[in-house]
Amino acid sequence: MKQALRFMPYVFAVLVVGIAGLLSAPKARAISTAEIAASATSTECLDYQVIGICAWLYCTPFGCTVRTSIRVKHYIPELVVSAYENTGENPWTEAADMMALSTTNVIDGIAGGGGSSNEAMSNQHINTRFKNADAIGHPSEVFYKFLSSFGFSCDSEAVPFRPYLLSTFDSLAWRSGIPESAYPEALTPGVRELGDSLDVHEGMWSPIYPRSGFVSQTHDYKVAATVAQRVADIVTRTGQPHVYWPLSPSGGANSGRWPPDPVMEGDPETHKWQRLEPDPVDSCAVFPDGGEKNELQAPGDYVWALWRPYSCCKKRGQELLWFTGGNDL
């Protein structure tokens, strides 16, 4: 894994250079950086609220005073997560351009192709589909970092355009399920599953483990959603047996910043999804979100924005004395 991680700085450099103007393009193009940035204006996904105040002890050689700042909570779009059929054909246009160069120069012949083994019959449980997946820093993070300097919003450690997980670089775990196929979560029915067991229409979509690109499921939307959920599960934790860049935010009371826990399926206190492609929406939801429309879909490419909840207040002293608005979100 350490050897594979050496490639990550190179990939990051490729992504930045690619923004400037790579002209070659894979076949699958669906959404641009400008469209993704525009989607971050969704007030429903943002869910901005003023929830309290923070009191800070501010000391100088001449004495100490108490300063206050407002405490807010809202969601931040941290990652763009794509789940798609063919290797190198990320539906995010600029990401596909960048990955075309990095895949050719770095891991040509290692990652393999894409596609699915697909009977497309809902009464057969041997159906297996495969998706490539990428998790890349959301471009709107620049905007949120700027606003946070004024104390009216929170920021995130997410870095715009940084590749947090690229399945082509994680090909061993992503295509074999090793070692997670032997984990208790993968072997125990009903543990860490995506879906709603109480909803007769939704039902259970698929287990989270093993967190690979193969999903036993007839419905393509559910396959892609499961893959996206697995990627978020990996990236928001440290020490996972994958080649990735962890997005594990720091914080705590004295920093005036309360970050979310790692992503957990079905839990809006840790995340929400905004579908960007196909059929982009302005709203956010956790899976199951109704996007599958209860009908079989042809194999396709999907993009979601992963929004995560934060609460914070502007730091105005050396020590946080007290705050209102709850202990967390």
Side-chain angles (χ1 to χ4, degrees):
M1 181 176 293
K2 289 183 178 179
Q3 183 178 4
L5 283 172
R6 294 178 195 167
F7 291 127
M8 297 310 291
Y10 174 84
V11 179
F12 180 57
V14 169
L15 290 175
V16 174
V17 171
I19 295 290
L22 285 175
L23 299 178
S24 60
K27 295 179 181 178
R29 289 190 165 207
I31 189 167
S32 68
T33 298
E35 292 171 304
I36 291 174
S39 71
T41 61
S42 168
T43 55
E44 182 176 342
C45 292
L46 180 66
D47 193 18
Y48 185 91
Q49 300 176 53
V50 176
I51 60 173
I53 61 173
C54 295
W56 300 89
L57 180 65
Y58 177 74
C59 294
T60 69
F62 304 101
C64 296
T65 60
V66 175
R67 294 180 170 184
T68 60
S69 57
I70 64 169
R71 187 177 180 213
V72 302
K73 73 172 184 178
H74 60 87
Y75 285 78
I76 298 175
E78 290 190 312
L79 298 175
V80 177
V81 181
S82 306
Y84 54 98
E85 287 289 299
N86 298 311
T87 302
E89 295 186 2
N90 189 317
W92 180 0
T93 304
E94 288 79 6
D97 285 335
M98 300 172 233
M99 280 306 300
L101 178 59
S102 63
T103 333
T104 300
N105 291 349
V106 181
I107 53 173
D108 188 27
I110 297 177
S116 304
S117 170
N118 176 24
E119 291 83 22
M121 296 178 63
S122 58
N123 62 346
Q124 293 187 5
H125 299 286
I126 59 173
N127 184 77
T128 301
R129 294 176 185 253
F130 174 82
K131 297 286 186 185
N132 291 281
D134 299 331
I136 299 172
H138 201 291
S140 69
E141 274 302 303
V142 175
F143 177 68
Y144 282 90
K145 291 182 187 301
F146 171 74
L147 287 182
S148 68
S149 63
F150 296 98
F152 297 110
S153 71
C154 307
D155 67 344
S156 163
E157 276 95 345
V159 178
F161 304 108
R162 172 178 285 176
Y164 285 91
L165 186 146
L166 306 174
S167 62
T168 50
F169 284 81
D170 188 39
S171 56
L172 177 60
W174 196 251
R175 289 177 176 271
S176 69
I178 296 174
E180 293 181 350
S181 295
Y183 280 20
E185 296 93 334
L187 300 174
T188 308
V191 175
R192 297 299 310 275
E193 291 196 0
L194 182 63
D196 187 352
S197 60
L198 300 179
D199 191 320
V200 296
H201 297 291
E202 296 286 356
M204 301 309 296
W205 287 18
S206 185
I208 298 298
Y209 280 80
R211 294 171 299 181
S212 72
F214 287 96
V215 180
S216 181
Q217 170 63 250
T218 58
H219 199 292
D220 197 60
Y221 183 90
K222 296 179 181 180
V223 173
T226 299
V227 165
Q229 191 73 45
R230 290 174 176 177
V231 167
D233 197 86
I234 294 168
V235 169
T236 56
R237 290 167 170 82
T238 58
Q240 305 303 296
H242 291 264
V243 179
Y244 73 109
W245 196 312
L247 178 55
S248 182
S250 60
N254 204 50
S255 69
R257 184 168 175 269
W258 293 262
D261 291 330
V263 164
M264 182 63 68
E265 61 277 4
D267 184 6
E269 294 300 314
T270 63
H271 75 292
K272 293 190 297 187
W273 294 102
Q274 179 187 20
R275 189 172 72 250
L276 304 181
E277 187 62 36
D279 303 323
V281 297
D282 289 329
S283 59
C284 285
V286 295
F287 298 134
D289 61 342
E292 74 288 352
K293 301 177 182 177
N294 293 316
E295 60 186 32
L296 293 174
Q297 301 280 329
D301 302 332
Y302 303 81
V303 183
W304 284 275
L306 177 69
W307 292 68
R308 303 246 286 148
Y310 287 80
S311 67
C312 65
C313 52
K314 186 176 179 62
K315 190 168 185 177
R316 300 196 64 205
Q318 292 87 2
E319 189 74 24
L320 180 61
L321 298 176
W322 52 265
F323 60 90
T324 62
N327 293 328
D328 49 33
L329 287 174

